């Protein structure tokens, strides 16, 4: 009997989930047997288990699709199945009548859930209840409300991402316990107390489970408005449920402040969700199948009521605090909420933020300000009377028990945070004079170096100066004058502190950057206000020099502070690359810095040498920034560019000078090899600047010359990394340089050495991910993309663990930040979409490096996964792809993007971090991102998957006649789905708006050929080439043959044209194009061709009948054209090392006449190499390594192309 206990079944579910995907279905079946005790499947029940039922159906796709498919024209295979498989089919026979596996791709997930929900409510799913376990047939619902049983079930369900089912589980348990408590009499007072504690715990879990539902909602198809509406309804319902649970918690705990805050948060988020849903419904187009009128009325009523409810709860909490006490923080069963208890803590920082946010939502700005002022008064009185036992003294943390036994957070609001919140409210009330006083008299006194305060001061001073309000102190005075008065006061205070430091009363420190940089900002603001007047530009240039003179030798970030202002000076004062007087003054100052700050070995101390080095580096960066901006003004004018080059030659040192200074400054920093700290050497920036200068002056050289120079730059960076192995900027620059030189293997090694982890995988993988694909490192690309997908999957799991803890500990704002981060940033990540597409593209190549002997193995491609049309188990693979497409954190879920018709770039989030490239000044990287690439991949794999699904249920002809395909049967349904996908793909690739994505002409033509072959496959199987075409009453093999032949001939022409476009490129471009085309489209064309050939064999047009059947001949010709194209690709990969040594390269420049700035710097390359010990050997070793690595990679690709060619050889019977 113990095997039928609910806790036993719950533990069994947990164990089955831990056993892996093969046991998921059994686990879900046991879960269903338990949860149905609560009800469901009828109109009177509040429990909807459609999510669980849909998951069981998904896990049963294999058995149900196999059974339904065999009934269409071949003898069934279900008769020999085991009893378990037979029972699976019985469980879902009712659902498989109207849902097929292809519906997973065609019917959006929310529509499938609605179908399951309506079917269960109508009683259709009652047949499934017959299989309920014996234990649950007699078990009472109260048995499942046990905390351990529910927790065990919730863990198992969460592992399967059934978060909404978990929420429904707790909802049913709560209603069950509440109903039971209502039935208890006064005699059962002791039992009622026990049930009260259990209800308390269930309400907490129920509230948090709804937060998990909200945070794990994802958008599979971001442009699908109906999906947006459905997701917003789910969000609204979850916040509404959370609000209900919080209200009950407040009642049970007798006014516990934490749960009151929970309720206020739920009400406010419920209100915001109503607003968003109302906007979606109001802007919806007619004919979308949504009854908007009644829902809009309900939402409008909620929008009127909810803010008042939140305000009422907030004012109640504030009143308790203002009247001399704080709300009692007792747990469940504590004293009544109105009682004052000075032993309790005042509202935490998060409580205050929630209260103020609620009043802000209602527009009650003055009430919020009064509350914040009262908190400030309490804080000041607490500080004054902290040593006494006054009642106004705030509660302090005495020991760890205060933390353990307190419900919620004890972290109090700081004075800085209070003033910032007050400033925000005053700005909304346009009381800018008060804002100005707070900034000048309080915030800037606390933190005079906080840049946001100075910017806020400038904004409010602009409102005051315009006369928008009365200000007794500042009316009719310019904003510049107002702000300078504040700067003067801050500087006077700073000078006083500096004087005390000199007198020995304090430590000497660097002058505050904030007020000094604000003076530069004031001049820049004047330019923006007056559209770039000459006097304002001159003042800005002078203020830049003034700021630089103070900080250029003191702080490393001086240039970064001034970078935006230097750009502003150049753009406003220079035209077409001509240097203005203002810019020239900055350049002359920078040149003077270079001359006076040469950090060569001398009698000066290391401290002085470091100061000189900072000044020297900053001067070069300033010149580089001006140089870059001047070049940007004349992108198409070659003469103007040459003039800029000549003009800047006198302001920029040579490569040799910068490297020589770098060598001489190596002793200034600690060396990790000698036991020092892991830090960068102070002169590393000189190497980065030198490499930028090398690449810039040689950017117009021919490809071979640029690669020779690039090897020198790479050697320089490699040499620098040996002395500064922990400088990430050096590694990023070295990785880019190796990629530019074609040394992708070494670039990937450097990238791995950066040790990117966790969220950096999301923000920094773009450095290398696409380059790995472009250079043939397919296995490495899949591994990197897999890390990104795993990061997102892990992020959701971590969120479901840490976000509830944040709410339980009273850190409400952190919990809400986690939810918003997951919903808006992570689940809408474009990097995740790109990683999924790359995995799908490269799946057929996984494992090929272990099977390079193509002659002994004819099926290397797709040996582990992927669809190539050459393996017996591809039907199962396609079914797995279909199932996994419902898992947002699995690569096949990208197939849902095939429904997107809008630009997903505006719907999704680009999380790439570009600040890591701030070291680039003269030469800047451009990382383009094409979201259409991901949609293109979705279309490709959607067609391929559906072709495999159709091929599994083909009806072969009988006695030379086709078997009629009836409307509504599985084959008809899948073939129509395939044709819809083909139409969508052709429409996508023919759209002029989508032609801007990274898709060259060869790839476009190959994709068009693939779509035509797929359409021909549909004609072969069903006789239809159009979704709307009616069933033919005279369908014959001859008619299908007549339709197919012109399609295959058109595909032949497209492949020929693609080969011609590809062959017109340069050899280097052909190589890179080959490495990209193979995974992008070539493998897909081969797979579609194989599937089509298999279908031809079924209908009597096999490969051996090429001489008698026209279709077989067309297929053989098509294979021949593709094979010729692949052979040409393979020949283009023959690697020819054409590097010369740097010495040879310098000799070619010695013979030239008319030296220029570029030539003189190139001539100094040999001198640079001479400065570095063993540098010649390092370069030669790099060249050899690059050659060997590239040869290995290209040998692997040639092996793949050979395997594809061998597959195509099977179409030529004479070669068999």
């Amino acid at each position: 009997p113990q095997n039928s206990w609910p806790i036993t079944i719950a533990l069994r579910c947990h164990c089955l989930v831990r056993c892996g995907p093969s046991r998921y279905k059994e686990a879900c079946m046991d879960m269903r047997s338990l949860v149905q005790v609560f009800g469901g499947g009828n109109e009177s029940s509040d429990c909807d288990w459609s999510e669980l039922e849909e998951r069981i159906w998904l896990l049963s796709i294999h058995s149900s699709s196999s059974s339904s498919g065999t009934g269409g024209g071949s003898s069934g295979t279900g008769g020999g199945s085991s009893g378990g498989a037979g029972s699976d089919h019985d469980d879902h026979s009712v659902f498989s009548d109207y849902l097929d596996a292809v519906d997973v791709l065609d019917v959006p997930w929310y529509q499938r859930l609605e179908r399951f929900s309506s079917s269960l409510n109508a009683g259709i799913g009652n047949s499934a209840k017959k299989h309920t376990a014996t234990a649950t047939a007699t078990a009472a619902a109260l048995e499942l409300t046990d905390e351990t049983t529910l927790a065990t079930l919730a863990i198992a369900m969460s592992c399967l991402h059934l978060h909404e089912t978990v929420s429904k589980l707790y909802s049913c348990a709560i209603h069950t316990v509440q109903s039971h408590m209502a039935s208890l009499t006064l005699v059962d007072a002791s039992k009622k107390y026990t049930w009260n504690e259990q209800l308390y715990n269930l309400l907490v879990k129920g509230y948090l489970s709804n937060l998990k539902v909200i945070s794990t909602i994802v958008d599979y198809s971001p442009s699908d408005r109906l999906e947006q509406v459905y997701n917003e309804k789910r969000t609204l319902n979850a916040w509404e449920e959370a609000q209900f649970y919080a209200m009950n918690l407040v009642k049970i705990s007798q006014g516990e402040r934490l749960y009151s805050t929970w309720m206020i948060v739920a009400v406010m988020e419920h209100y915001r969700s109503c607003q968003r849903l109302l906007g979606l419904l109001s802007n919806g187009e007619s004919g979308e199948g949504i009854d908007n009128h009644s829902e809009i009325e309900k939402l409008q009523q909620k929008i009127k009521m909810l803010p008042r409810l939140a305000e009422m709860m907030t004012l109640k909490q504030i009143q308790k605090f203002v009247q001399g006490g704080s709300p009692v923080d007792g747990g469940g069963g504590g004293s009544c909420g109105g009682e004052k208890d000075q032993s309790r803590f005042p509202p935490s920082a998060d409580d205050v933020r929630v209260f103020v946010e609620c009043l802000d939502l209602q527009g009650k700005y003055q009430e919020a300000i009064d509350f914040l002022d009262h908190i400030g008064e309490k804080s000041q009185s607490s500080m004054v009377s902290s040593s006494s036992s006054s009642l106004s003294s705030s509660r302090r943390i005495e020991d760890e028990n205060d933390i353990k036994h307190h419900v919620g957070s004890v972290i109090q609001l700081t004075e800085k945070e209070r003033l910032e919140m007050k400033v925000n409210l005053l700005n909304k009330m346009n009381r800018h004079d008060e804002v100005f006083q707070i900034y000048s008299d309080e915030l800037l006194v606390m933190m005079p170096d906080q840049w946001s305060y100075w910017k806020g001061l400038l904004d409010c001073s602009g409102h005051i100066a315009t006369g928008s309000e009365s200000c007794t102190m500042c009316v009719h005075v310019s904003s510049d004058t107002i702000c300078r008065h504040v700067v003067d006061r801050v500087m006077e205070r700073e000078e006083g502190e500096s004087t005390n430091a000199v007198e020995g009363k304090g430590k000497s420190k660097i002058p505050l950057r904030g007020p000094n940089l604000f003076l530069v900002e004031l001049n820049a603001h004047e330019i923006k206000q007056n559209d770039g007047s000459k006097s304002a530009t001159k003042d800005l240039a002078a203020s830049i020099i003034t700021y630089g003179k103070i900080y250029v030798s003191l702080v490393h970030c001086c240039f970064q502070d001034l970078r935006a202002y230097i750009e502003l000076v150049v753009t406003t004062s220079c035209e077409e690359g001509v240097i203005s007087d203002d810019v020239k003054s900055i350049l002359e100052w920078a040149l003077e810095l270079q001359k006076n700050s040469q950090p060569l070995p001398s009698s000066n101390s290391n401290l002085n040498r470091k100061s000189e080095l900072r000044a020297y580096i900053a001067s070069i960066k300033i010149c580089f920034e001006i140089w870059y901006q001047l070049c940007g003004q004349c992108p198409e004018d070659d003469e103007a560019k040459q003039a800029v080059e000549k003009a800047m030659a006198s302001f920029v040192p040579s490569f040799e000078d910068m490297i020589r200074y770098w060598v001489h400054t190596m002793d200034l920093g600690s060396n990790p090899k000698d036991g020092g700290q892991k830090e960068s050497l102070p002169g590393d920036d000189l190497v980065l600047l030198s490499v930028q200068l090398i690449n810039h002056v040689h950017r117009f050289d021919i490809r071979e010359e640029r690669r020779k120079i690039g090897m020198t730059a790479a050697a320089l960076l490699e040499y620098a990394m040996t002395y500064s192995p922990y400088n990430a900027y050096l590694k990023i620059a070295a990785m880019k340089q190796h990629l530019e030189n074609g040394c992708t293997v070494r670039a990937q090694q450097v990238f791995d050495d950066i040790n990117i982890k966790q969220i950096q995988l999301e923000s920094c993988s773009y450095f290398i991910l696409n380059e790995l694909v472009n250079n043939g490192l397919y296995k490495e690309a899949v591994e990197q993309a897999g890390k990104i997908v795993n990061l997102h999957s892990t992020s959701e799991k971590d969120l479901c663990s840490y976000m509830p803890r944040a709410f339980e500990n009273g850190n409400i704002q952190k919990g809400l930040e986690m939810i918003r981060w997951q919903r808006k940033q992570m689940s809408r990540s474009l990097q995740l979409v790109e990683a999924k597409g790359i995995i799908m593209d490269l799946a057929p190549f996984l494992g090929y490096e272990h099977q390079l002997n193509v002659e002994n193995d004819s099926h290397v491609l797709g040996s582990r996964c992927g669809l190539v049309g050459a393996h017996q188990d591809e039907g199962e693979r396609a079914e797995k792809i279909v199932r996994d497409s419902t898992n947002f954190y699995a690569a096949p879920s990208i197939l849902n993007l095939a429904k997107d018709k809008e630009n997903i770039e505006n719907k999704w989030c680009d999380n790439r971090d570009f600040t890591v490239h701030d070291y680039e000044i003269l030469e800047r990287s451009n990382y383009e991102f094409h979201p259409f690439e991901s949609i293109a991949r979705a279309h490709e794999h959607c067609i391929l998957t559906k072709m495999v699904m159709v091929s599994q249920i083909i009806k072969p002809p009988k006695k030379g006649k086709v078997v009629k395909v009836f409307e509504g049967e599985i084959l008809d349904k899948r073939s129509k789905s395939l044709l819809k996908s083909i139409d969508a793909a052709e429409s996508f690739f023919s759209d002029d708006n989508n032609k801007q994505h990274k898709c060259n002409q060869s790839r476009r033509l190959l994709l068009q050929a693939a779509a035509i072959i797929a359409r021909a496959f549909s004609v072969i199987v069903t006789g239809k080439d159009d979704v709307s075409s009616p069933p033919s009453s005279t369908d014959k093999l001859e008619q299908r043959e007549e339709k197919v032949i012109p399609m295959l001939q058109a595909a032949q022409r497209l492949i020929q044209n693609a080969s011609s476009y590809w062959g017109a490129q340069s050899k280097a471009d052909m190589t890179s194009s080959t490495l990209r085309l193979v995974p992008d489209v070539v493998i897909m064309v081969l797979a579609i061709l194989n599937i089509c050939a298999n279908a031809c064999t079924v209908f009597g047009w096999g490969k051996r009948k090429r001489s008698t059947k026209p279709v077989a001949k067309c297929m053989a010709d098509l294979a021949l054209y593709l094979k010729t194209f692949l052979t040409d690709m393979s020949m283009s990969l023959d690697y020819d090392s054409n590097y010369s040594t740097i010495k040879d390269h310098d000799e070619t420049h010695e013979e030239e006449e008319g030296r220029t700035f570029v030539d003189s710097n190139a001539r100094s390359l040999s001198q640079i190499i001479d400065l570095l010990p063993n540098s010649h050997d390092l370069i030669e070793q790099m060249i050899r390594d690059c050659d060997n690595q590239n040869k290995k990679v290209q040998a692997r690709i040639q092996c793949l192309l050979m395997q594809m060619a061998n597959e195509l050889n099977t179409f030529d019977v004479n070669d068999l």
Side-chain angles (χ1 to χ4, degrees), residues 175-248:
H175 287 301
T176 301
V177 173
Q178 287 178 330
S179 300
H180 178 69
M181 291 178 64
S183 65
L184 294 177
T185 62
L186 295 176
V187 181
D188 303 321
S190 59
K191 294 182 179 179
K192 195 167 186 177
Y193 178 83
T194 303
W195 284 109
N196 194 57
E197 289 292 332
Q198 184 171 348
L199 178 61
Y200 173 85
N201 294 326
L202 288 176
L203 288 170
V204 172
K205 295 294 184 182
Y207 185 94
L208 298 177
S209 67
N210 277 282
L211 296 186
K212 293 180 183 179
V213 171
I214 295 166
S215 58
T216 53
I217 292 175
V218 294
D219 298 313
Y220 286 89
S221 182
S223 64
D224 187 346
R225 181 183 164 273
L226 293 178
E227 182 179 11
Q228 295 176 24
V229 171
Y230 190 86
N231 276 338
E232 199 57 59
K233 287 182 178 179
R234 293 173 66 197
T235 305
L236 186 149
N237 293 334
W239 280 120
E240 188 173 20
E241 284 287 317
Q243 174 185 328
F244 169 76
Y245 297 149
M247 291 176 67
N248 281 273

Side-chain angles (χ1 to χ4, degrees), residues 961-979:
K961 296 182 180 180
V962 297
V963 178
K964 187 174 181 180
V965 179
F966 295 95
E967 285 284 335
E969 67 175 285
I970 298 300
L971 179 57
D972 177 68
K973 189 174 188 177
R974 292 187 180 183
S975 62
K976 286 182 177 179
S977 175
L978 172 62
L979 288 172

Side-chain angles (χ1 to χ4, degrees), residues 271-451:
Y271 166 77
R272 294 189 178 102
S273 185
C274 288
Q275 285 185 316
R276 292 191 296 267
L277 182 57
L278 180 62
L280 288 171
L281 296 178
S282 301
N283 298 330
E285 300 177 0
S286 59
E288 289 186 328
I290 302 178
D291 182 15
N292 293 349
H293 184 68
S294 59
E295 287 195 60
I296 287 176
E297 288 184 351
K298 293 179 181 178
L299 290 172
Q300 289 173 342
Q301 293 176 0
K302 283 187 175 183
I303 289 174
K304 292 179 181 178
M305 179 269 295
L306 289 173
R308 293 199 297 268
L309 175 61
E311 180 188 359
M312 179 185 69
M313 291 294 299
T314 300
L315 292 177
K316 182 178 180 181
Q317 293 295 314
I318 292 175
Q319 185 180 13
K320 292 177 181 179
F321 174 67
V322 171
Q323 290 179 352
S326 62
V328 175
D329 293 330
S335 58
C336 62
E339 183 180 342
K340 299 179 183 179
D341 188 353
Q342 290 298 329
S343 66
R344 299 299 178 184
F345 291 96
S348 68
D350 274 63
D351 292 333
V352 174
R353 293 189 191 99
V354 171
F355 299 159
V356 171
E357 183 181 358
C358 179
L359 295 173
D360 187 1
L361 192 68
Q362 277 284 78
K364 302 293 182 69
Y365 304 133
Q366 187 58 51
E367 288 83 347
I369 291 173
D370 294 341
F371 174 54
L372 290 173
D373 288 341
H374 184 80
I375 291 177
E377 294 172 1
K378 283 258 184 179
S379 177
Q380 291 178 0
S381 63
S382 173
M383 294 174 62
V384 172
S385 58
S386 59
S387 59
S388 65
S389 59
S390 172
L391 292 178
S392 61
S393 177
S394 295
R395 176 75 161 84
R396 291 174 174 268
I397 299 176
E398 297 178 356
D399 52 32
E400 62 181 8
N401 290 326
D402 281 345
I403 306 298
K404 290 181 178 179
H405 299 156
H406 179 76
V407 180
S409 173
V410 296
I411 301 175
Q412 303 299 304
L413 192 73
T414 64
E415 181 66 8
K416 179 180 74 70
E417 293 172 325
R418 185 187 73 84
L419 292 173
E420 288 174 348
M421 295 169 66
K422 185 176 180 180
V423 162
N424 183 44
L425 294 168
L426 289 171
N427 274 324
K428 293 181 179 180
M429 300 177 69
N430 293 325
R431 291 159 60 176
H432 299 292
D433 54 345
E434 297 179 49
V435 174
F436 184 87
Q437 294 295 330
I438 293 175
Y439 274 129
S440 60
D441 297 342
E442 297 183 75
L443 286 174
L444 285 172
V445 173
M446 296 179 187
M447 300 183 67
D449 227 14
Q450 181 65 33
W451 184 243

